[in-house]
Amino acid sequence: MARPDRFVPTPKDKFTFGLWTVGNIGRDPFGGPTRPALSPAEVVDLLGEVGGVYGVNFHDNDLIPIDASEAQAGRIKQEFQAALKRTGLKVPMATTNLFSDPVFKDGAFTSNDRAVRAYAIQKTMKAMELGAEFGAKVYVFWGGREGTDTLASKDPVQAALWFRQAMDFLCEYNLDRKFGYKFALEAKPNEPRGNLFFPVSGSYLGFIAGLKHPEMVGLNPEFAHETMAGISFVQVVGEALAAKKLFHIDLNDQEPGRFDQDLRFGSVNYKQAFFLAKLLIDYGYSGPKHFDSHAYRSSDRADVIEFARGSMRSWKILEDKVAQFNADKEIQSLLARIVREDAALARISGKFTKGNAQALLNYSFDRQAMTDRPLPYEKLDQLVFDLIMGVR
Ligand code: GLT
Ligand code: MN
Ligand code: MN
């Protein structure tokens, strides 16, 4: 009998996709669509066909076009709801499109125009209602056009304050309407604007501390976006976990120094992907794992299905590799040698008291002995390579 495939996902894995991701029609700035547009219900059915998917997320206008009539909106919602029912998919996350409509040409919460800023808040309030209708519990904010193309156009201090004003307003609205959302902020360094405000997740960590309800707001870091900024996504996610702010995560892939490619998770940076999986597993991240990516423009429907299956399969394979890493005696004994503890020093330097400070000042360190301790990182790194490549 053939062995069952260990890498087949189930809804317990909490993998999610967006209406805009598997529904992507393959348009880019240089060419039109290569795939037909699917209705929201058709995207849900496609995900049902993929199999093992937990949920589907949407922007307000992925579901309901911005200029839809009440009657049209009602019909779309009904069809979408029916598709959710027949596939068993959930809607764990919702968000607002504050970037496609021309009215947002100079930003939304940070537009120079008070009317646009107020409209952006109103649009978000309505979209929060829509998300809540389908049970969403995480609300993402990606400031698509919050930024500048010329530094002459905007006061960055004012923009940060406007953004804060909008978030404070919406946090209160969340409480008032008892939606129970957790807000997750998503950073990106550039594109579509030349410079986006809050370019990396670290910017948002600082911003959150200044809000009226910091406990309600966390991060939705995206693999591609931090990679565009030239930083390690694994370290970014580590900092989010340390701050207890990893409210959601956008998984995909990216070649550094490119436009936002939103490539299939695991398709470029195997090592970052491996250590990311290790981090989320070791620290027990239990939220949705959202694939914010799309198939190559050259893919047809069948290949889009392969893309979605592949995204999840890669994660499942990495889970397996992480278990292997964590059980590998040689790797673990190397790690145990590398990470050193010292009970006496832990006591006097772990927590400030006047006595500990004095004891630390009096302590005499042997710099040479400390320097001479071996750190066999070359050996460790090669073991990781062997493991990822499957020869270990
Ligand atoms: C858009 C963007 C993504 C965001 C989505 C949420 S929209 O596709 O490129 O990174 O996560 O607004
Ligand atoms: Mn992206
Ligand atoms: Mn994203």
Side-chain angles (χ1 to χ4, degrees), residues 186 222 225 250 292:
E186 178 177 347
E222 176 176 310
H225 297 175
D250 276 4
D292 194 13

Side-chain angles (χ1 to χ4, degrees), residues 187-189 198-203 221-237 239 253-257 269 272:
K188 188 175 178 183
F198 304 102
V200 291
S201 290
S203 317
E222 176 176 310
F223 198 126
H225 297 175
E226 309 289 335
T227 307
M228 285 169 78
I231 50 188
S232 158
F233 188 58
V234 175
Q235 294 193 186
V236 168
V237 173
E239 284 158 22
D253 217 330
Q254 174 78 25
E255 305 254 18
N269 300 285
Q272 286 277 334

Side-chain angles (χ1 to χ4, degrees), residues 45-214:
D45 284 333
L46 184 146
L47 288 173
E49 203 176 320
V50 166
V53 178
Y54 172 71
V56 62
N57 306 317
F58 59 72
H59 297 84
D60 50 354
N61 304 135
D62 298 335
L63 188 61
I64 317 281
I66 196 164
D67 46 11
S69 68
E70 291 265 322
Q72 283 166 329
R75 208 170 326 116
I76 295 169
K77 283 201 257 181
Q78 241 176 30
E79 285 170 17
F80 184 62
Q81 190 67 269
L84 291 174
K85 205 162 167 219
R86 64 178 169 263
T87 54
L89 262 69
K90 307 264 182 295
V91 176
M93 177 270 259
T95 183
T96 330
N97 186 327
L98 296 173
F99 43 89
S100 293
D101 195 87
V103 73
F104 300 122
K105 64 187 179 187
D106 192 29
F109 300 144
T110 65
S111 161
N112 272 325
D113 184 337
R114 166 67 79 182
V116 176
R117 296 201 299 278
Y119 172 59
I121 296 175
Q122 183 208 58
K123 190 171 191 290
T124 305
M125 292 160 74
K126 292 182 179 174
M128 285 166 69
E129 186 84 47
L130 183 66
E133 234 182 286
F134 289 94
K137 283 292 165 212
V138 177
Y139 203 86
V140 162
F141 291 83
W142 173 61
R145 298 207 186 256
E146 314 289 12
T148 59
D149 303 306
T150 162
L151 294 177
S153 67
K154 240 176 242 183
D155 174 347
V157 175
Q158 188 60 72
L161 295 176
W162 283 334
F163 198 89
R164 185 158 86 195
Q165 209 172 62
M167 290 310 300
D168 281 340
F169 188 106
L170 293 165
C171 282
E172 296 282 344
Y173 186 64
N174 185 29
L175 288 172
D176 188 54
R177 296 282 293 106
K178 299 193 170 51
F179 290 135
Y181 279 124
K182 285 164 95 181
F183 288 173
L185 308 180
E186 178 177 347
K188 188 175 178 183
N190 58 275
E191 199 204 358
R193 306 304 296 274
N195 294 287
L196 292 176
F197 296 130
F198 304 102
V200 291
S201 290
S203 317
Y204 275 137
L205 276 184
F207 168 79
I208 290 167
L211 293 172
K212 289 211 180 95
H213 295 280

